[in-house]
Amino acid sequence: MNRLARTLAAAAFVFAAAPASAAEPVRAFAPDADPAASAIWQKVRASLFGTREIAPAGADVLELLAPSRAVDAGVVPVAVHSRLPQGAAGYVATIYLIVDANPSPVSAIFRFTPDSGRAQVETRLRVDQYSHLRAIAETDDGRLFMATRFVKASGGCSAAPGSDAAAALASLGQMRLRVSGDPAAAQPVLARLQISHPNHTGLAMDQLTRQVTPAHFLRQLEVRHAGRLVFAADLDFSISENPWFRFAFLPRGDARLEVEASDTQGLRFAGVLTPVRE
């Protein structure tokens, strides 16, 4: 859990340094600004990676996809695709997903294995202010590569939940799994996992009570296939309501996946899921 502890430490100073007005982040995180010069990124970088070199990632190494202007700041689609081989001889071990201007900038840390087939993940993020979005891939031998995008969005972390509170509680922890591709083809297939959870940020006001809804979000996720780890993740409240992930794995006879998740209230959700084919 050392990585998760560093994640929380990296976020703590951002709350203390948050700008007082909504206009300031737009100026501080302008699309023509040098991504490397972001003061928040420099602090996060030092916290997670120290002085280690981070090489710019070309499209042949790492691809980061996100809209330049989000339709909904609470549900911003993001995709990270590694182009590096994923096998016993070498693989991408970790992908870090960072939103500089979010109150907690380290949104997720995904850990992969050779059984992942490909180191890639798609999800949906809350974006609170105009910001640089970063994906950093770390290989098993310690090399670091970074891809960066600028996203225009605001208010994603403080927006009111989209679902009714009672309905969200009734479906809490329910999971759905879909798979595209042929599990018998001896090559990676894509899976899409959705977990019902409000993922409250602790920054949004309940419109009925006029009180801030306490933080309650998924913190950890593990997905296994045939007893082998496909990927694990440390998550933060930047992940959108009803977290959704698309990822690859190498099927071994069938496409059932064992999923275990836990949240900030200590609740645990687990099951062996038989997917529906897309």
Side-chain angles (χ1 to χ4, degrees):
M1 297 307 298
N2 290 337
R3 225 178 232 132
L4 180 55
R6 291 199 300 271
T7 297
L8 297 175
F13 60 76
V14 179
F15 278 106
S21 74
E24 289 178 4
V26 177
R27 292 198 300 269
F29 296 93
D32 57 351
D34 179 4
S38 162
I40 290 177
W41 160 240
Q42 290 302 322
K43 292 178 181 178
V44 173
R45 186 193 193 289
S47 175
L48 292 176
F49 308 112
T51 59
R52 295 165 60 192
E53 180 184 0
I54 303 178
D60 59 334
V61 173
L62 188 69
E63 185 178 33
L64 172 60
L65 302 174
S68 58
R69 183 179 294 275
V71 175
D72 184 340
V75 190
V76 180
V78 174
V80 184
H81 299 159
S82 168
R83 306 302 183 190
L84 298 175
Q86 194 77 2
Y91 60 96
V92 171
T94 311
I95 288 177
Y96 303 80
L97 199 54
I98 295 168
V99 184
D100 285 11
N102 272 9
S104 182
V106 185
S107 302
I109 301 174
F110 298 96
R111 297 185 298 279
F112 299 92
T113 73
D115 289 293
S116 303
R118 293 192 294 266
Q120 67 178 67
V121 65
E122 299 177 29
T123 189
R124 301 178 299 193
L125 292 179
R126 296 174 168 117
V127 176
D128 206 48
Q129 300 289 348
Y130 285 21
S131 180
H132 290 106
L133 169 66
R134 305 173 191 274
I136 298 101
E138 181 175 10
T139 62
D140 63 319
D141 59 1
R143 292 174 295 153
L144 297 167
F145 302 92
M146 182 169 69
T148 307
R149 290 274 294 169
F150 189 83
V151 177
K152 295 179 180 179
S154 62
C157 293
S158 57
S163 59
D164 174 80
L169 185 61
S171 63
L172 190 69
Q174 292 181 7
M175 303 183 213
R176 288 180 289 178
L177 178 67
R178 292 182 178 272
V179 167
S180 58
D182 183 2
Q187 61 184 8
V189 298
L190 290 177
R192 184 178 65 174
L193 171 68
Q194 183 168 355
I195 304 174
S196 180
H197 201 288
N199 252 35
H200 293 308
T201 65
L203 302 173
M205 180 176 293
D206 186 296
Q207 298 304 304
L208 294 177
T209 65
R210 307 303 295 175
Q211 295 182 339
V212 173
T213 303
H216 181 203
F217 53 91
L218 288 183
R219 175 59 85 189
Q220 292 181 300
L221 174 65
E222 281 194 3
V223 177
R224 296 179 181 274
H225 174 63
R228 298 169 180 259
L229 183 67
V230 174
F231 82 94
D234 295 330
L235 306 171
D236 207 76
F237 63 66
S238 292
I239 302 295
S240 300
E241 182 179 359
N242 296 322
W244 177 99
F245 306 94
R246 180 179 277 126
F247 54 92
F249 74 99
L250 285 170
R252 297 174 181 272
D254 62 37
R256 289 182 300 170
L257 294 175
E258 305 110 44
V259 180
E260 182 173 345
S262 59
D263 68 18
T264 52
Q265 292 187 4
L267 299 176
R268 177 178 170 272
F269 316 102
V272 177
L273 305 183
T274 300
V276 175
R277 290 284 297 274
E278 289 187 322

